[in-house]
Amino acid sequence: MNVARSFSSLLVTGGCGFIGSAFIRGLFSNLAFDGRVVNLDALTYAGNPESLAGAVDPERYVFVHADIRDADAVRAVIERYAVDGIVNFAAESHVDRSIVAPDAFIETNVVGTFKLLELVRENPSLHFHHVSTDEVYGSLGPTGAFREDTAYAPNSPYAASKAASDHLVRAYARTYGLSVTVSHGSNNYGPYQFPEKLIPLMILNLFESEPLPVYGDGSNVRDWLHVEDHAEAIWAIVRSAPAGETYNIGGNAERTNLQVVRSLIQAVVEETGRPASALESLLRFVTDRPGHDKRYAIDASKLQRELGFSPSREFESGLRQTVSWYARHGAWVERVRSGAYRDWIQTNYRDRTPK
Ligand code: NAD
Ligand code: TDX
């Protein structure tokens, strides 16, 4: 039975990241939220407050520079801003980094989620939405798709840390009767993505005539979801899904990595007028990622059936728009790569949370 949740003061964690910032931009535009948004973000390498520049109503928006593991800081925010819902995007999110240095993944994804859940326990009228991933289900063969009841089988430290946080969310809901929802999105793409993930990395390497490193033989398959479709789906779940439910969110766009790179080459040819052959020559097949999941695919029929949501953006046109966005936002790219946006904290940030 669907519900009709409304919020007057929403805490968004990780709102300076790729998906969290799309969600907040959406709240102030097409998602038409009329309450206050408190964005709490630790501003790691992946968090850039400039991704929200000009996109929020300053009367209804507060930024708090804090870590989700800092329970005192988050508690103060919940009290001061009378928070009545939390949407948790804060995470370490890049699989390759988790293979090299897993510690931060355990700290933020597992311990951080645990700390937030303890605070929801203190404030049980709060609704908590946890943003998870399809990677917790592991790897598929050539057929089939992940359902919400697919057994967990994480294969990277990143996926294991997200799985651990999902288990904590479930256990807290069951044991303490908390109001929670969970979503499992597939691979996101779109504007403002940090250029370490496949699509923005390949776009920038194409612009700069750098090699295009395709892991293994490029036959691994991902399902691609536009970040704005993801934001819309999360908002539908947060507002309407019964407590305790989980939903898969997919983009209806399964592609091999090589197909994605070839589509990007085509889009860059259209954007820049450069010859395809010069761009094709940048392709390199490199050593595979350890434990590389072969295929992800999403059965999102529950979301469609129960909440009436399905994604509206088509992959190839979304890719072309994403290529155009990166072509027009060289300054944003330069500042995330150099970390120059960190100066923003010094010049623009006044901590308004109680000490
Ligand atoms: P991202 O790496 O772009 O952003 C993460 C944000 O969290 C950054 O702003 C960072 O500063 C912040 N953060 C990190 N550690 C923090 C901490 N300890 N305290 C407070 N803030 C902290 O990630 P993203 O791609 O936007 O992913 C957001 C969420 O969506 C993650 O939970 C991720 O697992 C999930 N997800 C991502 C994808 C994808 O394709 N990118 C797909 C499905 C689900
Ligand atoms: O240089 C590269 N070359 C390459 O072949 C990179 C960075 C990636 N790849 C491959 C690995 C994957 O098969 O492309 C595919 C996509 O890689 P990523 O962009 O790193 O994403 P993935 O590992 O699939 O995980 C993503 O989707 C689920 C997000 O990073 C996660 O945060 C999300 O939970």
Side-chain angles (χ1 to χ4, degrees):
M1 191 62 171
N2 290 350
V3 297
R5 258 179 227 107
S6 61
F7 302 94
S8 58
S9 186
L10 205 54
L11 172 59
V12 178
T13 67
C16 293
F18 169 48
I19 308 173
S21 70
F23 182 70
I24 292 180
R25 289 191 302 274
L27 288 176
F28 286 100
S29 55
N30 59 313
L31 304 181
F33 178 57
D34 59 7
R36 173 167 51 216
V37 176
V38 185
N39 174 11
L40 184 143
D41 196 300
L43 298 182
T44 68
Y45 77 96
N48 181 357
E50 293 175 355
S51 300
L52 290 162
V56 298
D57 172 357
E59 299 294 312
R60 295 190 290 117
Y61 174 77
V62 183
F63 172 72
V64 179
H65 184 204
D67 192 306
I68 57 167
R69 292 170 302 164
D70 184 347
D72 290 340
V74 184
R75 183 182 295 108
V77 165
I78 291 172
E79 285 169 9
R80 170 154 191 172
Y81 297 109
V83 167
D84 51 10
I86 301 178
V87 185
N88 181 31
F89 292 92
E92 289 291 334
S93 68
H94 190 42
V95 172
D96 292 329
R97 284 180 192 258
S98 85
I99 294 169
V100 180
D103 305 49
F105 289 74
I106 306 305
E107 284 297 328
T108 286
N109 300 1
V110 187
V111 178
T113 304
F114 160 70
K115 298 279 186 180
L116 292 178
L117 287 166
E118 281 289 296
L119 290 169
V120 181
R121 228 181 120 192
E122 286 175 19
N123 298 274
S125 61
L126 275 177
H127 180 72
F128 183 78
H129 180 79
H130 186 58
V131 179
S132 186
T133 168
D134 61 356
E135 301 211 18
V136 298
Y137 300 123
S139 184
L140 290 165
T143 58
F146 299 132
R147 293 162 42 102
E148 288 78 2
D149 57 4
T150 299
Y152 275 42
N155 290 321
S156 69
Y158 163 70
S161 69
K162 293 296 291 184
S165 64
D166 294 0
H167 291 325
L168 286 169
V169 173
R170 177 193 159 95
Y172 269 64
R174 289 291 180 109
T175 303
Y176 304 112
L178 306 183
S179 175
V180 307
T181 42
V182 178
S183 55
H184 299 274
S186 59
N187 283 58
N188 280 218
Y189 73 101
Y192 298 100
Q193 187 168 30
F194 191 84
E196 61 185 351
K197 308 276 166 65
L198 179 72
I199 287 178
L201 178 91
M202 293 294 175
I203 292 173
L204 296 180
N205 286 10
L206 282 162
F207 287 166
E208 294 161 8
S209 296
E210 294 290 334
L212 308 173
V214 175
Y215 298 164
D217 62 3
S219 65
N220 300 64
V221 174
R222 298 292 183 263
D223 171 60
W224 293 97
L225 170 66
H226 194 281
V227 68
E228 289 159 19
D229 278 322
H230 194 185
E232 288 169 15
I234 289 171
W235 189 228
I237 295 166
V238 167
R239 283 183 311 152
S240 308
E245 291 295 324
T246 69
Y247 295 85
N248 289 347
I249 311 170
N252 294 325
E254 271 188 66
R255 302 285 186 280
T256 66
N257 292 335
L258 198 51
Q259 282 175 321
V260 171
V261 175
R262 290 203 192 285
S263 294
L264 285 171
I265 290 173
Q266 187 52 39
V268 172
V269 167
E270 287 168 26
E271 179 71 30
T272 64
R274 289 170 63 193
S277 56
L279 300 178
E280 289 271 348
S281 72
L282 299 171
L283 270 172
R284 302 280 185 284
F285 293 94
V286 302
T287 308
D288 210 352
R289 172 187 279 173
H292 195 177
D293 287 333
K294 185 69 186 173
R295 176 171 166 264
Y296 302 150
I298 289 271
D299 177 344
S301 55
K302 179 179 176 187
L303 184 63
Q304 218 285 320
R305 192 174 57 247
E306 295 188 3
L307 299 183
F309 182 89
S310 48
S312 60
R313 291 156 184 91
E314 190 271 326
F315 181 59
E316 270 72 24
S317 65
L319 265 193
R320 282 195 295 277
Q321 284 162 9
T322 304
V323 166
S324 289
W325 187 88
Y326 278 92
R328 288 181 283 105
H329 289 79
W332 182 90
V333 170
E334 192 281 314
R335 289 167 71 74
V336 288
R337 278 177 162 173
S338 68
Y341 63 88
R342 287 177 200 292
D343 301 343
W344 181 93
I345 302 174
Q346 266 69 49
T347 49
N348 293 298
Y349 182 57
R350 250 178 333 112
D351 190 346
R352 287 190 274 168
T353 51
K355 295 291 175 219

